[in-house]
Amino acid sequence: MAFTSINTDFDLHAQDLKSQKTALVLLAGLYFMMGFITCLNDSLVPFFKSGFDLNYAESSLVQFYFFVTYAIMSIPAGRIVEKTGYKKGMVLGFGIASFGSFLFLPASLFHQYEIFLGALFILALGIVLLQVAANPYATLLGKPETASARLALIQGIGSLGTTIAPLFGAHVILSHIGTRHAAGALTIPYIGIGISLLLVAVIVSLIALPNIVTGAKRNMDQGGKTLLSFRNLRFGTLAIFMYVGAEVTIGTFLTNYIADLLAIQEHQANSYVAFYWGGMLLGRLAGSILLKSVQPQRMLISAAIIACALILTSILTSGMLAAWSLIALGICNATMFAIVFSLSIQDLGKYTTRASGLLSTAIAGGAIIPYVCGVIVDQYSWGWGFIPVLCCYSYLIFYGMNGYKHNTNQLY
């Protein structure tokens, strides 16, 4: 990983205030699009499971092919952002994601699961590039001590997309399961998404944003350090893997889980998923305020402990209590990513962009954990299938208590 990084030592006070506000609004819109597209996958899982007669492990490949791109693309994406800058990196990300969306048309025409997975893979490549560019950019648009709050706020606004996506999926996609319109249920929505992404790419390219000079333009001494030499980043990378794995697993299987628990149809059960993501929306907005006065690691510990309690409640009970216990995890998840990400890159200076690439690689947890859980559910039961999720939240408790050390993002 011997490549240069973006210099984060710039004076925000010298930046135009209007330009900074524009950047924050843009990032909120960007997170809306990323959240909507990512959470729409939760509707694709039961749709493909029924349409292609798949088991839970096979249907979870929707998430696997989407999130495995983070393992493949995040480091190269970091290099791209270093060479092009945050703005051009985001424009390119929107363009690639748009192309992937348009590929849903031939996938629908040929009615091949493998082509759909390929389209999702390319769509995800663009989302990865957007994540690698946007996450550190958001943390740098203000004081370091309020980075968690700022990222949580922007993600909270963007969570409107994650809340709307399940409702959209339930009525536009899942309602066509088993009907003569099933084959085209994905074509129009994803073509619309592709057009929207292209328009956003054009808008972003025309907007003036605060500029951060890339280290690639200067010969910077890296002192022989490697990213994993930084303690907080090292433990934080695994924390991101665990968190995303848990979040995506719940979103992936919540529709089928509730359908089984309450004996209802998939499109009815999918409406409950909106409450899961809606909880994250409210939690992020509240968290952006609380994180200004509460230590981020303490909030992380509290949220993870409650999450473990909710998982156990869902495993040991049934009916509505079990369903709502799992749905309530959305509130617990609300600030976890923002906290872990901001703590992991704290005080990394010129290593920030490379660290963002490494942390984005760990988002591949969204590919691995759901698949593992799907295999367990196929072989045993829902209760056993959620044990890996319980382990993920347990690690987050560890990260808050001991994995993260204040002011020790140094060689260790």
Side-chain angles (χ1 to χ4, degrees):
M1 279 185 239
F3 54 89
T4 54
S5 62
I6 290 177
N7 177 26
T8 61
D9 299 326
F10 65 102
D11 185 5
L12 280 172
H13 297 293
Q15 299 289 345
D16 181 70
L17 183 59
K18 181 178 179 180
S19 182
Q20 293 178 35
K21 290 181 178 180
T22 300
L24 290 173
V25 172
L26 169 66
L27 286 172
L30 184 154
Y31 276 104
F32 176 91
M33 294 298 297
M34 289 194 298
F36 183 86
I37 292 169
T38 302
C39 292
L40 201 57
N41 290 346
D42 298 341
S43 299
L44 296 182
V45 172
F47 183 83
F48 288 140
K49 185 179 185 298
S50 175
F52 293 101
D53 194 25
L54 309 173
N55 59 31
Y56 287 110
E58 291 169 336
S59 65
S60 73
L61 289 177
V62 168
Q63 303 290 26
F64 181 88
Y65 274 83
F66 190 90
F67 284 95
V68 77
T69 56
Y70 286 90
I72 297 171
M73 185 63 185
S74 292
I75 299 301
R79 296 186 183 187
I80 291 172
V81 172
E82 287 180 345
K83 296 294 183 182
T84 65
Y86 288 126
K87 179 178 175 178
K88 291 182 179 179
M90 286 186 275
V91 171
L92 181 59
F94 278 119
I96 295 173
S98 175
F99 177 67
S101 298
F102 288 133
L103 289 179
F104 271 72
L105 176 58
S108 296
L109 293 176
F110 288 102
H111 193 63
Q112 292 291 319
Y113 186 45
E114 293 77 11
I115 301 179
F116 278 114
L117 294 177
L120 278 169
F121 182 85
I122 294 174
L123 172 59
L125 291 178
I127 299 298
V128 171
L129 188 53
L130 288 171
Q131 286 263 17
V132 171
N135 286 335
Y137 193 56
T139 64
L140 297 172
L141 286 172
K143 298 179 180 179
E145 56 268 25
T146 60
S148 294
R150 189 164 51 255
L151 187 55
L153 175 60
I154 294 173
Q155 287 184 329
I157 298 172
S159 287
L160 285 170
T162 66
T163 305
I164 295 172
L167 298 174
F168 180 87
H171 296 286
V172 177
I173 297 176
L174 293 181
S175 61
H176 294 295
I177 288 181
T179 71
R180 61 189 180 90
H181 301 292
L186 299 179
T187 306
I188 295 177
Y190 276 90
I191 287 179
I193 290 172
I195 294 172
S196 299
L197 290 170
L198 273 182
L199 290 175
V200 174
V202 173
I203 292 171
V204 172
S205 67
L206 297 176
I207 291 177
L209 298 176
N211 184 46
I212 301 175
V213 179
T214 62
K217 296 180 180 179
R218 297 188 294 165
N219 185 17
M220 299 174 64
D221 177 26
Q222 297 183 11
K225 295 181 181 179
T226 62
L227 288 179
L228 293 180
S229 299
F230 297 100
R231 187 185 196 281
N232 292 341
L233 178 62
R234 186 168 66 248
F235 284 101
T237 300
L238 183 55
I240 290 289
F241 181 93
M242 293 295 190
Y243 165 72
V244 176
E247 178 202 291
V248 174
T249 298
I250 300 303
T252 298
F253 294 120
L254 192 55
T255 296
N256 290 118
Y257 181 61
I258 292 177
D260 288 348
L261 279 175
L262 307 182
I264 58 179
Q265 296 297 316
E266 283 87 353
H267 72 276
Q268 295 173 303
N270 198 62
S271 298
Y272 284 87
V273 181
F275 290 101
Y276 171 68
W277 296 111
M280 290 188 69
L281 167 60
L282 296 177
R284 282 172 171 169
L285 294 178
S288 66
I289 298 173
L290 291 174
L291 283 169
K292 294 179 180 179
S293 57
V294 179
Q295 286 188 344
Q297 59 270 35
R298 289 186 178 179
M299 183 174 290
L300 177 64
I301 294 168
S302 299
I305 290 174
I306 296 172
C308 288
L310 289 171
I311 287 285
L312 288 172
T313 299
S314 188
I315 290 174
L316 298 175
T317 60
S318 61
M320 293 300 295
L321 178 58
W324 283 105
S325 294
L326 218 59
I327 292 170
L329 285 170
I331 299 175
C332 297
N333 289 343
T335 58
M336 287 184 178
F337 184 93
I339 291 173
V340 174
F341 187 91
S342 58
L343 292 180
S344 298
I345 67 172
Q346 191 177 78
D347 301 324
L348 286 183
K350 64 183 182 181
Y351 295 94
T352 300
T353 302
R354 289 196 293 154
S356 176
L358 180 62
L359 290 168
S360 295
T361 299
I363 294 177
I368 306 301
I369 305 299
Y371 183 77
V372 170
C373 292
V375 171
I376 296 174
V377 172
D378 285 330
Q379 296 296 320
Y380 300 101
S381 66
W382 283 114
W384 286 107
F386 288 129
I387 294 299
V389 179
L390 184 63
C391 295
C392 290
Y393 286 120
S394 297
Y395 180 81
L396 291 172
I397 296 174
F398 160 77
Y399 183 72
M401 288 183 170
N402 190 54
Y404 168 79
K405 296 290 187 181
H406 184 60
N407 289 333
T408 57
N409 222 354
Q410 57 188 6
L411 288 174
Y412 199 53

